[in-house]
Amino acid sequence: MRRTGCCLLVADIDHGRPILIIDMAEFPLGLENCKVTVALQGGDVVIDCRCKVHHKTGVEMEALTGASVAALTVYDMLKAMSHDIVIGDTRLMSKTGGKQDFERDA
């Protein structure tokens, strides 16, 4: 059985076990690339997830899901130090393709 679509596996680095698996095989998009970066800006952790596909649809839901799962993973790794961690706004910053392009004003 050939599966297409997105299967996201996030591993707990300290224990080497999967902590979350999201399978979006119902929507076979054939993602070409999905890159998640995590950076510190002051006291904040900023997560950027970029997805790419050559298809007639956008992949903003896949990018938002990737960023959200990364935020939950950061929380899981830091909760031993504090439970006062806040996962802030998750928002689409820009996209091209699909029905229309989008660019959030700065």
Side-chain angles (χ1 to χ4, degrees):
M1 177 180 213
R2 183 173 171 235
R3 293 180 59 124
T4 59
C6 175
C7 181
L8 178 63
L9 171 66
V10 178
D12 181 343
I13 296 169
D14 291 338
H15 300 99
R17 61 180 164 75
I19 58 169
L20 180 61
I21 298 174
I22 296 178
D23 188 355
M24 293 185 260
E26 291 181 30
F27 303 101
L29 294 175
L31 282 175
E32 292 179 15
N33 191 1
C34 185
K35 181 178 181 183
V36 178
T37 58
V38 180
L40 289 175
Q41 288 185 357
D44 295 334
V45 175
V46 177
I47 299 168
D48 180 51
C49 182
R50 297 171 186 250
C51 296
K52 183 177 180 181
V53 66
H54 284 296
H55 206 276
K56 292 182 180 182
T57 186
V59 288
E60 59 267 27
M61 291 307 297
E62 288 74 13
L64 289 168
T65 300
S68 298
V69 169
L72 292 169
T73 303
V74 170
Y75 177 89
D76 185 51
M77 290 189 283
L78 297 177
K79 69 184 179 194
M81 293 187 282
S82 173
H83 282 92
D84 194 32
I85 300 167
V86 175
I87 297 175
D89 297 341
T90 302
R91 60 184 173 262
L92 179 67
M93 297 305 293
S94 67
K95 81 173 202 80
T96 57
K99 289 187 179 181
Q100 62 185 1
D101 293 350
F102 172 81
E103 185 76 32
R104 183 172 302 280
D105 295 332

